[in-house]
């Protein structure tokens, strides 16, 4: 066939297939057809039949002038309607036909290219669809090199598509045997569980070790009810990370696989990490309940205050009428004093309800701590000695006082829980030139001087292996029915919102010291608050994989006055970009050989014409090894030997001059 005709054939096939003129037809060929040619005139008569086509049709002799239907009848007694439509079309097309022999189930593709005086038909064998390509039929289909090549290409395409799906899937795709060992799982399973696929494959019992102990029994009960008629289930439960102890909420959607006699063979399913959604649901539920409780307690506290005011007034009047030597004088004075203390306590409770979360204002840390400790004294067990050490001078802060009280109360409650047999609880305030903390520090205070709130106990302490996870959501070392695991997570959110830091220093059996670090107010903060009430942050979006390079870059950028939001996936990065809490100044990606999602994310932002500047730090390989099409998504690329100082200097040159990040 001439090149022009070949090109036209290709074009016509694409156009016709695009118009949905491709069909499958039952009809069979036990012999693989490499290339069969038929030429038909405008009357539908065959004027030429290629040798390979004749052999495939089983024709020992061919007489020109037969109709096309007669010529193809040995294989296709009845041609489908779509085939005739393509023959009559001016543009031609392509159709898939199934031969008549149902046992061999052979398929061919016919391409039709119309000409000025005739039509050119090209036939070639193709593999059946997957639904018909059973193991028993492989031998009869894969006897030709062309069939083997097609099968190889189909396998490669399928493997590539599966690999792409598993890498981009935000959760875990898995295949699990009946004993709960994993025969297959996508990469993120190690991030969620702390176990590698090899460990989970060879040690089936590990699955129940990582399921939260409070959920295991209910989970086994639900899965034991699966049968062939009801083989699909969706359930949520918790997984505990084997190394860090971090708890993640998982939505598990799985399908049970049974044998013909009803024996459970295993499961196919997916996991989705719904920890963020669970946090949001709990906060909404808690907020609604707290609002209801607030309405009730406000009314009760108001009535109680009126009662105590009456007791105080009467006791004061009776005391004034009695001589100091009267035997009832001392008792009435004590009643008056206690009634006054009760009234003060009620006013403190009412003040907690009157304040609204989200209102920033100027407060003296000493006063906030003194009121909070006084309120907590009523609940501190006698076995615990509570001590307050306040700085000699006032410590001005520009904060949300309600949230600050919540953080202080949470830290004090945690300290009390750590001393079941008693001990010393010390709450102190101090002023420092810079953050001076031992142990783990989360966050960064961008300016000095720095005010510090310290909560110290002499309790059981925190193991060093757990320190890195205590600020994660839902992490708790308390019993299952005590503590939500959100107290320290909320403290972390508080310091990040107020541009501060929180630190912890603890050793097992020696107690723990928590310190909240906040910048001292300079009384210009009120002028910098956005009218929307939401703190706008000029921030760097840092993309990378979990590990030492990511942690070091986060710390380095924050230490040099930049706010940084770290993201480990494209989904979390897109969520951060959509959040009204941040106004990003630039994106920095830490790219190694497994960071294709970062290049893809940057390329997508470039296609969307995002004004955000993008920089990339190459890790572990040479810049020259990169595909040049990837590099178009970045405004600046740093080689592996770029120093941290040079990276910071060049990165700052990308930031908008009019709106530099505020320290």
């Amino acid at each position: 066939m001439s090149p022009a005709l070949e090109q036209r054939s290709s074009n016509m096939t694409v156009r016709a297939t695009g118009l949905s003129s491709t069909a499958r037809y039952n009809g069979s060929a036990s012999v693989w057809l490499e290339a069969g040619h038929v030429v038909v005139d405008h009357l539908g008569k065959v004027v030429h039949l290629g040798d390979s086509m004749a052999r495939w049709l089983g024709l020992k002799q061919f007489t020109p002038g037969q109709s096309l239907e007669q010529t193809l009848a040995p294989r296709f007694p009845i041609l489908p309607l779509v085939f005739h439509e393509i023959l009559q079309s001016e543009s031609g097309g392509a159709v898939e036909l199934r031969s008549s022999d149902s046992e061999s189930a052979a398929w061919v593709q016919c391409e039709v290219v119309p000409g000025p005086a005739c039509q050119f038909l090209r036939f070639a064998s193709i593999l059946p669809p997957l639904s018909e390509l059973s193991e028993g039929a492989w031998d009869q289909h894969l006897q030709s090199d062309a069939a083997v090549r097609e099968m190889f290409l189909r396998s490669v395409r399928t493997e590539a598509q599966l690999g792409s799906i598993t890498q981009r899937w935000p959760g875990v795709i898995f295949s699990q045997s009946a004993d709960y060992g994993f025969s297959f799982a996508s990469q993120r399973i190690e991030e969620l569980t702390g176990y590698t696929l090899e460990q989970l494959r060879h040690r089936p019992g590990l699955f129940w070790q990582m399921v939260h102990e409070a959920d295991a029994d209910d989970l086994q009960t639900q899965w034991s009810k699966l049968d062939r008629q009801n083989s699909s289930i969706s359930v949520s439960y918790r997984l505990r990370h084997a190394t860090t102890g971090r708890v993640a909420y998982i939505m598990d959607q799985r399908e049970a696989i049974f044998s013909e006699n009803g024996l459970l063979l295993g499961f196919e399913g997916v996991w989705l990490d719904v920890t963020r959604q669970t946090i949001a649901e709990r906060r909404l539920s808690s907020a609604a309940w707290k609002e209801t409780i607030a309405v009730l307690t406000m009314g009760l506290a108001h009535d109680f205050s009126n009662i105590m005011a009456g007791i105080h007034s009467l006791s004061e009047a009776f005391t004034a009428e009695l001589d100091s030597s009267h035997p009832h004088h001392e008792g009435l004075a004590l009643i008056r004093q206690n009634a006054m203390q009760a009234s003060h306590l009620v006013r403190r409770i009412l003040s907690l309800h009157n304040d609204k979360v989200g209102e920033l204002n100027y407060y003296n840390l000493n006063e906030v701590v003194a009121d909070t400790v006084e309120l907590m004294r009523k609940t501190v067990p006698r076995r615990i000695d509570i001590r307050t050490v306040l700085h000699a001078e006032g410590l001005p802060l520009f904060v949300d006082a309600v949230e600050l009280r919540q953080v202080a109360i949470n830290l004090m409650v945690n300290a009390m829980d750590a001393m079941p047999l008693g001990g010393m609880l010390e709450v102190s305030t101090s002023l420092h030139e810079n953050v001076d903390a031992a142990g783990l520090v989360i966050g960064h205070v961008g300016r000095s001087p720095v005010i510090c709130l310290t909560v110290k106990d002499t309790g059981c302490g925190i193991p060093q292996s757990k320190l890195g996870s205590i600020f994660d959501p839902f992490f708790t070392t308390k019993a299952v029915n005590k503590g939500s695991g959100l107290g320290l997570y909320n403290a972390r959110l508080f310091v990040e919102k107020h541009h501060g830091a929180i630190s912890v220093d603890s050793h097992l059996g020696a107690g723990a010291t928590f310190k909240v670090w906040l910048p001292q107010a300079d009384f210009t903060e009120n002028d910098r608050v956005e009218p929307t009430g939401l703190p706008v942050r000029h921030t760097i979006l840092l993309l990378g994989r979990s590990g030492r390079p990511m942690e070091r870059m986060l710390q380095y950028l924050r230490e040099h006055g930049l706010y940084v939001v770290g993201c480990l996936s494209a989904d979390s990065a897109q969520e951060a970009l959509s959040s009204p809490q941040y106004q990003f100044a630039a994106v920095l990606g830490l790219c190694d050989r497994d960071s294709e999602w970062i290049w893809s994310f940057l390329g997508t932002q470039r296609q969307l014409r995002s004004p955000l500047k993008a920089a990339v730090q190459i890790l572990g390989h040479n810049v020259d090894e990169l595909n040049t099409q990837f590099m178009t998504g970045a405004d600046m690329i740093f080689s592996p030997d770029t120093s941290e100082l040079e990276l910071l200097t060049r990165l700052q040159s990308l930031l908008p001059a009019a709106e530099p990040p505020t320290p």
Side-chain angles (χ1 to χ4, degrees):
M1 181 170 53
S2 68
L5 190 56
E6 178 77 19
Q7 179 63 36
R8 186 174 181 188
S9 171
S10 176
N11 292 342
M12 294 304 104
T13 301
V14 172
R15 283 201 293 269
T17 303
L19 293 172
S20 301
S21 58
T22 298
R24 298 188 184 278
Y25 171 71
N26 278 330
S28 148
S30 58
V31 179
W32 188 270
L33 177 61
E34 294 287 352
H37 303 135
V38 180
V39 180
V40 182
D41 63 18
H42 66 283
L43 296 177
K45 305 296 184 180
V46 177
V47 297
H48 175 73
L49 184 68
D51 292 341
S52 60
M53 189 69 183
R55 286 194 300 271
W56 185 73
L57 291 172
L59 300 177
K60 297 181 179 179
Q61 184 177 3
F62 167 69
T63 303
Q66 288 184 342
S67 68
L68 181 62
E69 289 81 355
Q70 291 176 326
T71 305
L72 299 180
R75 294 288 185 174
F76 309 107
I78 300 176
L79 291 168
L81 178 61
V82 66
F83 180 76
H84 294 289
E85 291 176 350
I86 293 176
L87 286 176
Q88 297 169 7
S89 171
E90 295 181 357
S91 59
V95 62
E96 293 180 5
L97 305 172
R98 187 177 187 270
S99 60
S100 58
D101 185 358
S102 59
E103 294 183 358
S104 49
W107 290 78
V108 296
Q109 184 181 60
C110 174
E111 296 177 271
V112 179
V113 180
C118 62
Q119 289 180 305
F120 182 87
L121 282 66
R122 182 172 61 187
F123 291 80
S125 293
I126 59 173
L127 286 174
L130 184 62
S131 58
E132 295 191 13
L133 192 60
S134 61
E135 290 189 23
W138 286 2
D139 288 342
Q140 63 183 346
H141 288 297
L142 302 181
Q143 294 177 359
S144 117
D145 291 341
V148 173
R149 285 196 300 271
E150 185 179 341
M151 176 59 78
F152 173 75
L153 292 175
R154 184 184 290 185
S155 300
V156 169
R157 284 195 298 268
T158 302
E159 184 176 356
Q161 291 171 352
L162 179 60
S164 177
I165 291 173
T166 55
Q167 287 179 6
R168 300 177 189 280
W169 181 258
V172 174
I173 303 174
F174 66 87
S175 179
Q176 202 172 22
S177 57
D179 62 358
Y180 298 101
F182 288 82
S183 56
F184 168 79
S186 52
Q187 296 177 352
R188 203 177 174 212
I189 195 168
E190 186 172 354
E191 176 186 338
L192 287 173
T193 67
Y195 294 113
T196 64
L197 178 58
E198 285 300 312
Q199 291 174 308
L200 294 171
R201 179 181 289 123
H202 298 296
R203 298 168 60 189
L206 289 180
F207 175 75
W208 292 108
Q209 291 183 25
M210 62 192 183
V211 172
H212 197 282
E213 58 273 13
D215 300 335
D217 292 340
D218 182 60
L219 205 57
Q220 289 178 332
T221 300
Q222 292 192 56
W223 288 348
S224 66
K225 297 178 181 178
L226 290 173
D227 53 38
R228 295 181 65 178
Q229 286 72 36
N230 186 23
S231 61
S232 179
I233 189 173
S234 178
V235 62
S236 295
Y237 54 91
R238 289 165 287 181
L239 292 179
R240 193 186 299 277
H241 196 280
T243 305
T244 65
R246 183 184 295 111
V247 174
Y249 279 71
I250 298 299
M251 184 181 74
D252 185 315
Q253 176 71 48
R254 62 176 57 209
E255 183 86 16
I257 309 299
F258 293 91
S259 65
E260 292 184 359
N261 58 3
L263 178 66
L264 178 65
L265 301 178
F267 304 91
E268 303 284 348
V270 296
W271 285 348
L272 279 178
D273 186 349
V274 293
T275 304
R276 289 176 178 268
Q277 294 90 321
T278 306
I279 292 174
E281 289 173 2
R282 287 195 174 187
R283 285 182 173 175
L284 287 174
S285 176
S286 177
W289 174 243
K290 286 180 180 178
E291 185 175 354
T292 303
I293 292 295
V295 174
L296 295 174
T297 56
M298 285 281 284
L300 293 174
H302 186 269
D303 293 342
F304 182 75
S305 180
N306 290 338
I307 294 172
M308 297 310 301
I311 294 174
H312 179 267
S313 299
L314 287 174
S315 61
E316 187 176 24
F318 290 154
T319 303
E321 294 179 1
L322 296 178
D323 187 79
S324 59
S325 60
H326 193 281
H328 293 164
H329 185 277
E330 184 177 353
L332 288 172
L334 185 60
I335 291 173
R336 184 185 65 177
Q337 179 182 354
N338 288 339
M340 182 177 295
Q341 290 178 353
S343 297
H344 287 319
L345 181 60
V346 170
R347 282 198 293 272
R348 287 195 182 100
I349 295 174
L350 291 175
S351 68
L352 289 176
H353 289 293
N354 289 330
D355 290 333
K356 296 181 180 179
V357 175
E359 293 183 350
L360 298 173
N361 213 330
Y362 293 99
Y363 297 92
N364 183 352
L365 178 62
N366 287 341
E367 295 177 359
V368 174
V369 169
D371 287 344
T372 304
V373 171
E374 190 63 27
L375 187 64
M376 288 295 294
R377 284 186 187 276
K378 312 300 180 183
T379 60
V380 174
R382 292 185 177 181
R383 65 179 183 272
I384 296 176
D385 183 14
I386 185 170
R387 176 183 172 191
T388 306
V389 180
L390 302 180
H391 191 260
E393 300 178 357
L395 300 174
L397 291 172
F398 186 70
V399 294
D400 182 334
V402 177
E403 292 186 352
L404 178 58
R405 289 192 184 98
Q406 291 174 349
V407 170
I409 290 173
N410 278 330
L411 292 177
M412 294 171 68
V413 169
N414 288 344
M416 289 188 292
D417 290 341
M419 298 183 288
L421 302 179
M424 168 70 73
L425 171 59
E426 181 180 296
V427 183
S428 61
T429 62
S430 53
L431 181 66
H432 304 261
E433 188 61 30
N434 293 293
V435 174
D436 182 17
L440 176 67
V441 180
I442 301 294
H444 175 70
V445 182
R447 68 169 189 262
S448 59
V450 182
I451 292 174
C452 180
L453 165 63
T454 302
V455 178
K456 181 179 181 181
D457 65 71
T458 58
C460 58
I462 305 171
Q464 292 295 314
S465 60
K466 305 294 184 184
L467 279 181
S469 303
I470 60 175
F471 294 105
D472 293 335
F474 301 119
F475 179 86
T476 179
T477 57
K478 300 177 183 178
V480 173
N481 60 344
K482 289 190 64 179
S484 64
L486 292 176
L488 291 178
Y489 175 67
N490 288 331
R492 175 179 182 172
L493 295 181
F494 169 79
V495 298
E496 289 180 351
K497 174 181 176 181
H498 291 81
H499 314 317
I502 185 169
S503 64
V504 56
D505 184 25
S506 178
H507 299 279
L508 200 60
T513 301
F514 285 87
K515 295 184 178 182
V516 177
W517 304 86
L518 297 168
Q520 184 180 25
D522 60 8
F523 300 98
T524 63
E525 292 85 1
N526 214 12
D527 298 332
R528 299 198 295 266
V529 175
E530 294 294 320
T532 59
L534 293 173
V536 178
R537 307 174 69 184
H538 299 288
T539 309
I540 300 296
L541 179 60
L542 184 62
L543 312 177
R545 289 200 303 164
S546 178
R548 179 61 181 165
M550 184 73 168
E551 295 172 358
R552 179 173 177 80
M553 186 61 69
L554 277 169
Q555 180 180 357
Y556 181 79
L557 295 179
R558 287 170 176 169
E559 287 176 351
H560 289 79
L562 297 174
Y563 295 119
V564 186
V565 175
C567 295
L568 305 180
S569 68
D571 288 341
S572 60
Q574 190 59 52
E575 182 179 347
L577 280 179
S578 304
S579 172
Q581 294 285 351
Y582 306 111
Q583 182 177 329
F584 289 99
V587 180
L588 174 60
L590 305 182
C591 291
D592 54 22
R593 298 184 185 277
D594 298 321
S595 302
E596 183 180 350
W597 71 268
I598 297 180
W599 294 109
S600 177
F601 179 83
L602 296 180
T604 301
Q605 296 303 309
R606 182 56 54 91
Q607 292 176 4
L608 296 176
R609 300 185 182 277
S610 171
L612 213 59
K613 297 295 184 180
V616 172
Q617 166 74 66
I618 304 300
L619 303 176
H621 57 285
N622 196 299
V623 179
D624 295 332
E625 299 175 11
L626 297 177
N627 191 323
T628 55
Q629 66 177 2
F630 287 157
M631 303 172 69
T632 59
D635 298 287
M636 189 174 291
I637 296 181
F638 304 115
S639 62
D641 56 353
T642 302
S643 67
E644 290 181 334
L645 179 59
E646 181 184 355
L647 184 145
L648 178 66
T649 303
R650 294 176 60 191
L651 181 62
Q652 287 175 333
S653 68
L654 287 179
L655 305 181
E659 297 180 343
T662 306

